[in-house]
Amino acid sequence: MSITQKPRRDIHQEITNNIISLLDEVDLNDYQPPFANLAAMGIPENPITKNRYQGVNILALWFNQKSRTLRSNKWASFKQWQQIGASVKKGEKGSRVIFYKTLTREEEGQSGETEDVKIPMLRQYSVFNASQVDGYEDQDESEIPESDNVERLSLIDEFCQRTGAEVRTEGDEAFYAQLGDYINMPDTSLFFDTEQASATENYYSTLLHELTHWTGAPKRLDRKDDPNKKAVENYAFEELIAELGAAFLCAQQNIVQTQPKGHALYIKSWLRALRNDKTFIFKASAQAAKAVNYLDQMTSGEP
């Protein structure tokens, strides 16, 4: 009598499917960054209108704060800064934000009557951070919390060490530097608990995200940009790969993160840059699985 074997569980595909099922449910307004320096500065806001930015604009402006090391959460347009006597510094580049405006126009209905038709229209404009202007002093900068809530997990630390990746702690930014071939991580004290995960889970999820980026270097898996895509699309696609890789590695390393809502929120933000096409997740998932398999081989000593 033959014994029927159960099909092998594909955890990578399971996590990918779970994230896809959540994409329509998660709300970008619920997103909380894992870095204390960003959270401490608060939601991006306009100091002239006193309004907070909403939705994907929050992530876009937080990203610009991180990538440009801007210390303020105050953003306004060129003309708005002029209104209060401030001026954008020469050579500074703005950050794009979007807003929806409803256009109302009259149209004739099927029965001949006139009715108002509302048409949603997407508009884009540039805003500049308070750090990019002269003549304005931000009085509301918050201090970064000094407490450290990250518990070191020796198994994951050892896993990362066995990969041979160089991990530095310089400043408060998390990134993979391809030129120097190293990962930079903020100090553990700069991570905090969010609704999606604990400080410990946020720290290691971020580390594993950057470790996935590290696998794409030319001397490793050599992930290349698609020459037929815009730079922002290639960047967004690489972010999908890294976040899915982090999700896979979190599950593999038994990080009990609120799976996979936190990853779905992050991925949803980058899907905006890819025109909300969920097929990109399947393509990114294949690359992420390849990255994880590569790391597993490195740490197991397999050729």
Side-chain angles (χ1 to χ4, degrees), residues 129-181:
N129 189 270
S131 303
Q132 298 175 286
V133 305
D134 291 320
Y136 176 81
E137 184 176 352
D138 188 355
Q139 302 292 336
D140 300 325
E141 287 191 8
S142 302
E143 294 183 359
I144 298 172
E146 295 182 359
S147 60
D148 190 341
N149 296 317
V150 173
E151 176 188 353
R152 300 304 307 210
L153 302 178
S154 59
L155 289 178
I156 303 179
D157 287 336
E158 290 172 8
F159 174 84
C160 293
Q161 289 171 4
R162 287 199 303 271
T163 67
E166 180 185 358
V167 180
R168 302 180 185 178
T169 305
E170 301 172 351
D172 56 8
E173 305 298 325
F175 58 84
Y176 165 63
Q178 188 173 41
L179 186 61
D181 192 30

Side-chain angles (χ1 to χ4, degrees), residues 12-13 41 46 90 171 177 203 242 253 295 298:
H12 297 167
Q13 192 61 52
M41 287 189 288
N46 188 305
K90 186 176 180 180
Y203 173 79
Q253 298 296 328
L295 291 169
M298 290 190 71

Side-chain angles (χ1 to χ4, degrees), residues 234-280:
N234 279 315
Y235 186 90
F237 186 64
E238 174 64 19
E239 286 301 310
L240 294 186
I241 294 172
E243 193 61 14
L244 283 163
F248 297 162
L249 288 166
C250 281
Q252 182 175 296
Q253 298 296 328
N254 294 317
I255 296 181
V256 189
Q257 189 173 25
T258 306
Q259 292 278 13
K261 185 178 179 182
H263 297 290
L265 277 164
Y266 187 89
I267 286 172
K268 186 171 185 175
S269 70
W270 288 111
L271 277 180
R272 295 287 182 91
L274 295 169
R275 300 173 188 155
N276 289 316
D277 187 345
K278 294 179 185 177
T279 63
F280 280 103

Side-chain angles (χ1 to χ4, degrees), residues 191-208:
F191 288 81
F192 72 116
D193 296 340
T194 64
E195 290 184 4
Q196 288 80 40
S198 69
T200 299
E201 291 160 352
N202 277 325
Y203 173 79
Y204 283 104
S205 179
T206 301
L207 175 59
L208 296 173

